Amino acid sequence: MRTWGVSDSLKMYNIENWGDQYFSINPAGNLTVHPKRGEGMGIDMMSVIEEIRAQGLGFPVLIRFQDIIRHRVVALNEAYKKTISELNYKGRYQGVYPIKVNQMREVVEEIIDAGRPYNYGLEAGSKAELAAVIAMNLPPDALVICNGYKDYSVLKTALMGLKLGKKVIVVVEKLSELYQVIAISRELSVIPLIGIRTKLYTKGSGRWENSGGEFAKFGLTTSELLHAINVLKQEGLQDSFKLLHFHIGSQISHIKTVKEAVKEGARIYAKLRQMGLNVEFLDVGGGLGVDYDGSRTSFESCSINYSMPEYVDAVVYSIQEICQSEEVQEPNIVSESGRAIVAHHSVLVVNSFGSIETGVAPANLEETADEDDVVKEMRYLSQNLSMKNLLEHFHDALQRKEEALSMFKLGFLSLSDKAKVENLFWQICRIVHKNSAGLKYVPDDVLDLSKYLADMYLCNFSLFQSVPDHWAIQHLFPIIPLHRHDEEPIRQATLVDITCDSDGKVNKFIDLRDIRETLPLHPLKQNEPYYMGFFMMGAYQDIMGDLHNLFGRVNEVHVFLDETEPGGYYIEEVIKGNNVAGVLSWIQYSATDLEKRIKEQIDGKVREGVIKPKEGVELQNFYEQQVLYGYTYMDINPEKYQRLIASVGVSAGQNSDFSSGQPNPGMLN
Ligand code: PLP
């Protein structure tokens, strides 16, 4: 029999497609990261994990590959440079990074640094974002685009930036902002740089399509745009109108939509130029997508049917075509790509600490004299299964299970008989599932068995904190084991997190042709951690997580390439996630007060003689040091767990933590 190899894993998890040469597997079966896309031997994720463990840092951990950010910034800018030169386009490209997609200072600074040769700038969409952006050390010619609804202080900050020598363009999202910009610029004696966001008829596609279209929340209608121009003319500020802006939504899945939107925007630009306005920039907004499932299709919002160079070609070519037909000067092109710049750079590493297998429990199935007929019938169905009666016995078993449940509710079935019925039922299901491929016709209820029989792998993370888009909008991200790829993943599983919420689970996974309901995984081994990576987490996820169940931010490490180091990399920075005291303080609990309250209670019990003074001190120390100032996530230590279990004196068998994989039920003749 052919043995499983790394190439089988690459294919099964479709890594070559979604990995886009940033991710691969090495001969040892470990996931590798190639921050320079395809170049070099790659950073072994397990080696990074070993180093994280050696530093005593708990999991989950978010690993940022800073060099990937740099690579994406350079790739986008170089793509524009190449197309502009090939098409002999007369304008230049001057992109900005919208910091709302990931505002982490280290991320933003990496982007500024990598973008410096290209005068790459930043976009802010709120007061806090602008406060950060305006203080950054950008090249003098880089643009700062100020989007979003603005109050007095936002507008004054933007104009203050202009006074400080930065090229801040205030994008008017609604008419009233225009009057305020004019008034505040007079107050500060500064000539504003104004952009106007226009509503396009073209809508994006997929989940973010409502950002565009005529009913979009932002932007001026055509008549408002014309009115704004009149106001600017009256105020002698028509030359301040520097930029025309549109944004039809994030993750545009179809290249046709990109072309349509850009042509519509370019047409408006051309008409403005023909009206004598010296609009210099056309800002095409965000929308450049990421191929999360690697299918290169316009499937939902998980994929895109174009590459980054194809997107850039479509933008430049469409603008040029319209400008040539309208005989106007080609504008400088601005884009606000966020997702495409930062999505790839971060990987959330979670450890699994056990699995739940449906219907496998340590119940005694042995026949007893007093057992109910319904148990006997279920046993008969199980013991006499054959290919000929597979469906018949399966449907009979379903009926017996229903009967047993009704009997139990009415008080006619004992707990031990109920347990036997359930276990026998799931035994039958496993055999039916395993043999269903041999059936001529497979009914839906048998097809559904793969879903019900899947294991649930318990994973140390909070979906709500770290992967909010999966929970909120069913966005799919590539999720795969980080090691053991030289071994066949023989279990089918869904993932559950550690929050006390049944929504905290992942039961939809990327697939080349469809959406998978289970993920192939390796059986858990005793005393061995099992690590999985959630990939392409860098856009939006880092910053949208909520405090559900008070788990808080995860630990973070920043990895940089360095060929002179043995593993080809070094860890530059470790940013500790939240501790319990930290998350509690956000909701008005003071750690000192909690410590005091616990101390009072312990002291009371010591006085009553329930607790000895020494034990009281130990408990107080434990509460303060390990609970309040410990990591909010689970401290998973397989060895410690096995020692604890051993002290109970039972065998930690199936369905216990750190194990999975009961023997498979046999094939029928
Ligand atoms: N610009 C604006 C105005 C946005 O609203 C957004 C996000 O939706 C972006 C840029 C970033 O879009 P993306 O992440 O698709 O590049």
Side-chain angles (χ1 to χ4, degrees):
M1 203 175 77
R2 199 177 75 80
T3 50
W4 186 266
V6 162
S7 58
D8 298 303
S9 258
L10 279 170
K11 204 163 153 211
M12 165 170 279
Y13 294 108
N14 192 25
I15 298 170
E16 279 170 347
N17 289 315
W18 63 257
D20 198 16
Q21 297 180 59
Y22 288 109
F23 306 103
S24 188
I25 302 177
N26 64 15
N30 298 339
L31 215 292
T32 52
V33 184
H34 304 261
K36 291 189 178 165
R37 195 163 178 253
E39 273 183 39
M41 60 185 246
I43 298 174
D44 184 327
M45 286 285 286
M46 289 312 285
S47 142
V48 180
I49 286 173
E50 281 314 314
E51 207 171 321
I52 291 171
R53 288 178 58 175
Q55 295 199 17
L57 210 60
F59 288 87
V61 169
L62 189 84
I63 306 183
R64 294 188 194 282
F65 293 94
Q66 299 288 102
D67 298 275
I68 295 187
I69 304 179
R70 302 186 75 85
H71 191 265
R72 302 294 294 174
V73 172
V74 172
L76 181 66
N77 280 283
E78 288 295 325
Y80 270 104
K81 210 163 137 185
K82 183 164 175 278
T83 306
I84 282 175
S85 147
E86 277 170 8
L87 294 179
N88 195 19
Y89 184 84
K90 301 295 180 309
R92 61 175 191 274
Y93 171 68
Q94 243 198 295
V96 291
Y97 166 69
I99 75 162
K100 76 164 166 192
V101 184
N102 192 322
Q103 298 106 334
M104 274 286 294
R105 185 175 50 77
E106 287 85 347
V107 169
V108 175
E109 284 179 349
E110 203 68 62
I111 291 171
I112 295 175
D113 200 48
R116 204 167 283 285
Y118 308 99
N119 277 329
Y120 200 58
L122 296 174
E123 184 259 12
S126 70
K127 197 182 293 185
E129 285 182 1
L130 185 64
V133 163
I134 216 81
M136 291 287 160
N137 178 19
L138 284 169
D141 282 331
L143 299 179
V144 171
I145 305 277
C146 179
N147 282 333
Y149 291 138
K150 304 159 198 74
D151 63 7
Y152 176 86
S153 66
V154 170
L155 291 168
K156 188 161 174 178
T157 312
L159 295 169
M160 180 182 103
L162 201 57
K163 271 205 131 168
L164 297 177
K166 300 188 192 255
K167 272 186 121 173
V168 186
I169 302 186
V170 175
V171 176
V172 172
E173 306 268 10
K174 59 181 173 60
L175 261 184
S176 59
E177 283 176 6
L178 181 65
Y179 311 128
Q180 290 186 68
V181 182
I182 296 170
I184 302 168
S185 57
R186 289 221 178 98
E187 202 180 293
L188 293 185
S189 308
V190 65
I191 298 172
L193 300 177
I194 293 175
I196 294 185
R197 178 163 173 174
T198 175
K199 282 188 177 137
L200 295 190
Y201 276 88
T202 313
K203 279 175 118 182
S205 39
R207 292 200 176 100
W208 291 274
E209 66 178 31
N210 290 333
S211 307
E214 58 181 318
F215 302 111
K217 137 175 158 186
F218 292 114
L220 271 55
T221 60
T222 313
S223 61
E224 285 172 329
L225 175 64
L226 293 175
H227 178 78
I229 293 166
N230 279 339
V231 172
L232 287 169
K233 280 187 177 161
Q234 273 166 26
E235 300 295 325
L237 282 174
Q238 67 265 39
D239 284 341
S240 282
F241 184 7
K242 291 283 179 209
L243 175 144
L244 181 73
H245 178 279
F246 64 85
H247 169 73
I248 62 160
S250 193
Q251 184 73 2
I252 301 172
S253 52
H254 211 300
I255 192 71
K256 186 168 83 39
T257 317
V258 174
K259 290 179 187 164
E260 276 172 23
V262 172
K263 281 185 186 164
E264 190 184 341
R267 188 75 69 184
I268 301 173
Y269 159 82
K271 300 292 177 200
L272 296 175
R273 293 288 312 192
Q274 286 166 353
M275 287 165 71
L277 290 151
N278 292 322
V279 180
E280 199 186 314
F281 297 97
L282 178 60
D283 183 342
V284 299
L288 168 55
V290 166
D291 194 1
Y292 290 95
D293 69 9
S295 67
R296 191 51 90 79
T297 60
S298 56
F299 177 69
E300 298 212 336
S301 300
C302 303
S303 189
I304 48 171
N305 68 356
Y306 56 88
S307 64
M308 184 192 270
E310 280 163 5
Y311 168 90
V312 169
D313 282 354
V315 171
V316 182
Y317 184 82
S318 302
I319 298 176
Q320 188 173 51
E321 190 186 67
I322 300 291
C323 290
Q324 283 178 353
S325 72
E326 297 276 359
E327 296 179 347
V328 296
Q329 182 184 313
E330 290 160 0
N332 294 329
I333 302 172
V334 179
S335 79
E336 301 174 355
S337 290
R339 186 187 296 276
I341 296 292
V342 291
H344 295 76
H345 90 280
S346 71
V347 183
L348 176 75
V349 178
V350 308
N351 45 354
S352 173
F353 59 97
S355 70
I356 300 171
E357 293 160 36
T358 312
V360 178
N364 187 359
L365 292 183
E366 265 170 42
E367 202 171 336
T368 50
D370 61 342
E371 71 187 15
D372 194 278
D373 282 352
V374 74
V375 182
K376 290 196 177 90
E377 284 160 24
M378 201 63 121
R379 181 171 290 105
Y380 172 83
L381 292 173
S382 159
Q383 287 171 350
N384 293 285
L385 271 169
S386 74
M387 274 318 281
K388 283 195 182 138
N389 64 23
L390 202 63
L391 287 184
E392 187 189 332
H393 277 217
F394 171 60
H395 289 125
D396 284 352
L398 273 173
Q399 209 178 344
R400 294 291 167 276
K401 188 172 164 245
E402 288 300 311
E403 273 169 34
L405 187 62
S406 308
M407 287 167 68
F408 180 74
K409 280 186 189 160
L410 294 170
F412 297 130
L413 197 70
S414 70
L415 259 186
S416 66
D417 277 359
K418 180 172 180 277
K420 283 181 188 173
V421 167
E422 285 167 3
N423 276 13
L424 286 164
F425 172 75
W426 286 113
Q427 240 177 38
I428 293 169
C429 290
R430 277 176 214 288
I431 297 172
V432 171
H433 176 56
K434 183 124 196 214
N435 291 278
S436 61
L439 292 171
K440 267 201 212 120
Y441 162 70
V442 187
D444 283 352
D445 47 8
V446 173
L447 282 176
D448 282 347
L449 281 178
S450 57
K451 209 163 46 189
Y452 300 127
L453 288 171
D455 301 339
M456 279 187 269
Y457 272 50
L458 314 174
C459 297
N460 188 18
F461 80 114
S462 156
L463 189 79
F464 309 93
Q465 173 67 43
S466 295
V467 204
D469 273 354
H470 182 79
W471 166 66
I473 52 171
Q474 292 77 53
H475 196 286
L476 303 186
F477 296 90
I479 305 172
I480 60 165
L482 296 178
H483 50 147
R484 295 173 61 184
H485 284 291
D486 47 359
E487 205 185 300
E488 187 173 358
I490 54 171
R491 310 297 306 171
Q492 291 294 328
T494 58
L495 310 180
V496 289
D497 74 1
I498 54 171
T499 63
C500 303
D501 196 317
S502 52
D503 276 358
K505 62 174 186 247
V506 185
N507 57 8
K508 298 268 183 288
F509 303 91
I510 60 158
D511 184 58
L512 200 52
R513 277 169 209 88
D514 200 351
I515 292 178
R516 297 185 71 113
E517 290 185 323
T518 57
L519 182 68
L521 291 177
H522 305 92
L524 298 177
K525 290 186 187 165
Q526 285 199 1
N527 292 336
E528 237 184 64
Y530 189 59
Y531 294 103
M532 276 175 264
F534 286 55
F535 287 80
M536 300 213 227
M537 304 298 295
Y540 300 101
Q541 307 315 294
D542 280 356
I543 38 88
M544 291 204 311
D546 73 5
L547 252 192
H548 180 61
N549 260 175
L550 299 183
F551 281 109
R553 287 195 72 93
V554 300
N555 287 329
E556 242 184 75
V557 297
H558 297 181
V559 174
F560 284 83
L561 277 174
D562 185 349
E563 275 155 23
T564 63
E565 291 293 332
Y569 73 92
Y570 69 99
I571 292 181
E572 195 217 46
E573 193 158 16
V574 172
I575 301 175
K576 288 266 186 143
N578 291 120
N579 60 24
V580 172
V583 292
L584 286 175
S585 72
W586 295 344
I587 44 169
Q588 308 287 64
Y589 293 88
S590 127
T592 337
D593 177 50
L594 293 171
E595 285 165 20
K596 208 171 109 224
R597 288 177 192 227
I598 287 291
K599 185 159 184 349
E600 278 164 13
Q601 293 175 47
I602 290 177
D603 287 349
K605 291 296 168 197
V606 170
R607 277 195 300 277
E608 286 170 28
V610 178
I611 294 179
K612 284 182 157 184
K614 189 171 169 217
E615 192 191 354
V617 173
E618 265 165 21
L619 288 175
Q620 183 73 29
N621 285 345
F622 162 76
Y623 178 75
E624 287 176 15
Q625 289 160 18
Q626 292 191 39
V627 179
L628 276 185
Y629 293 98
Y631 196 20
T632 48
Y633 291 87
M634 301 219 341
D635 172 13
I636 293 174
N637 181 336
E639 282 158 28
K640 199 157 116 191
Y641 169 84
Q642 296 301 342
R643 274 201 305 277
L644 267 178
I645 292 288
S647 73
V648 180
V650 294
S651 87
Q654 280 158 14
N655 255 340
S656 71
D657 291 353
F658 306 108
S659 90
S660 66
Q662 81 294 340
N664 273 326
M667 294 296 289
L668 296 171
N669 294 320

